[in-house]
Amino acid sequence: MINQIKADFYRQRRSIGMLILLIATVALGIVATWRKTTIGITIGGEEYAHKLLAIERQGWTVRTGLQAGSASATSLIYFYIAVFVIVIGAEYSQHTLKNTLTSGISRIQFILGKYMTILIDIVLLTLCYFITILITGLALGRNPGASWAILGNDLAIMTLSVGFCISVIISLGIILLIITKSLVIPAVVIVIWPMLIGIVEFTAKWKWLKYFDFVGFGEQIVLNTLTADQVWIYAGVSVGVVLVAIFGSALIISKQEI
């Protein structure tokens, strides 16, 4: 599995797609900070929306920019779909899956390795995104708004929470790719998932569905709008979805003809 992860990162270093993705991620951070706005759909709930609005009405500091930047996580999904395509989608589109699976790696190691590669990619790209927001705010002469220790803590929490929560949605794309053997269906589901969950929850009045709003979970962690019991439910559902996606994908692919 380790060799597979190393091979994936080796290919990525030679991929123009990853470079373009990095540039787009950095550009999003610059634009959002420069314009003092959020880019994306706010889906973290009513309390989250009120707190975000209150933050935006304050004097815009570097810390304000970081907090508001977390609300653009829905836009990051549109970018990170490229990671999904490059890391595992290419195995299907280029018909190299059989070569990989006959090289001595088990099905579970293959799926787990792909997810870990995607997770690392997303966390690193998200880190670049928030660092860009921080540097842009400083370059524009804005007040830090907090000590460097607090800003560093915010940066770590934002990066890990937003990055992991996006990877949960990507894990759903992995199992859909294994089932359908098509890039289109999982790509569409990944892109529309945050908005779809919000629409279904609102129209059907299924309050429990909010725990599948993984991007909203990451955003609310950043702004601390969740109670302790809600955090554990969200975290349990998120980890559960990832485990089901990984082990389910491994089981399904073991039954398929490669």
Side-chain angles (χ1 to χ4, degrees), residues 111 171-172 175 237-252:
I111 298 297
S171 73
L172 294 174
I175 193 169
V237 171
S238 299
V239 172
V241 167
V242 171
L243 292 176
V244 169
I246 291 175
F247 286 99
S249 296
L251 179 62
I252 294 169

Side-chain angles (χ1 to χ4, degrees), residues 5 51 63 66 101 121 125 139 162 167 194 197-198 203 224 244:
I5 294 175
K51 189 164 185 178
R63 193 183 191 197
L66 289 171
L101 292 179
D121 281 337
L125 285 167
V162 172
S167 78
I197 290 297
T203 56
N224 194 27
V244 169

Side-chain angles (χ1 to χ4, degrees), residues 43-57:
I43 54 177
E46 184 176 350
E47 184 181 354
Y48 170 84
H50 288 163
K51 189 164 185 178
L52 180 61
L53 183 60
I55 288 174
E56 291 179 334
R57 286 175 175 173

Side-chain angles (χ1 to χ4, degrees), residues 59-125:
W60 202 281
T61 65
V62 173
R63 193 183 191 197
T64 302
L66 289 171
Q67 292 173 327
S70 68
S72 298
T74 49
S75 296
L76 291 176
I77 293 179
Y78 300 129
F79 295 167
Y80 295 169
I81 188 68
V83 177
F84 168 76
V85 173
I86 293 171
V87 174
I88 189 168
E91 297 278 0
Y92 281 84
S93 61
Q94 298 175 6
H95 305 290
T96 59
L97 180 60
K98 184 175 182 178
N99 295 337
T100 304
L101 292 179
T102 55
S103 63
I105 188 173
S106 69
R107 268 53 173 175
I108 186 63
Q109 288 176 325
F110 169 75
I111 298 297
L112 183 58
K114 291 298 183 181
Y115 173 75
M116 291 303 300
T117 301
I118 290 172
L119 176 60
I120 293 170
D121 281 337
I122 290 176
V123 168
L124 291 177
L125 285 167

Side-chain angles (χ1 to χ4, degrees), residues 81-95 173-174 176-191:
I81 188 68
V83 177
F84 168 76
V85 173
I86 293 171
V87 174
I88 189 168
E91 297 278 0
Y92 281 84
S93 61
Q94 298 175 6
H95 305 290
I174 293 176
L176 285 174
L177 175 64
I178 301 300
I179 293 172
T180 65
K181 297 184 180 181
S182 168
L183 276 173
V184 177
I185 294 176
V188 170
V189 170
I190 290 171
V191 168

Side-chain angles (χ1 to χ4, degrees), residues 125-240:
L125 285 167
T126 305
L127 177 61
C128 291
Y129 168 71
F130 283 117
I131 287 178
T132 298
I133 292 176
L134 188 150
I135 293 175
T136 303
L138 292 174
L140 292 172
R142 293 173 187 165
N143 190 293
S147 68
W148 282 105
I150 292 177
L151 289 177
N153 183 67
D154 286 349
L155 190 66
I157 292 174
M158 291 175 182
T159 298
L160 294 176
S161 60
V162 172
F164 170 71
C165 290
I166 292 178
S167 78
V168 177
I169 302 178
I170 299 293
S171 73
L172 294 174
I174 293 176
I175 193 169
L176 285 174
L177 175 64
I178 301 300
I179 293 172
T180 65
K181 297 184 180 181
S182 168
L183 276 173
V184 177
I185 294 176
V188 170
V189 170
I190 290 171
V191 168
I192 70 172
W193 183 267
M195 184 169 56
L196 178 64
I197 290 297
I199 292 174
V200 175
E201 179 191 351
F202 177 77
T203 56
K205 307 299 181 183
W206 294 341
K207 297 299 182 182
W208 55 269
L209 205 57
K210 67 182 180 181
Y211 295 112
F212 290 87
D213 175 12
F214 305 117
V215 175
F217 173 40
E219 293 174 345
Q220 290 181 87
I221 288 177
V222 171
L223 295 189
N224 194 27
T225 58
L226 293 174
T227 61
D229 59 327
Q230 287 179 317
V231 170
W232 284 110
I233 296 174
Y234 270 108
V237 171
S238 299
V239 172

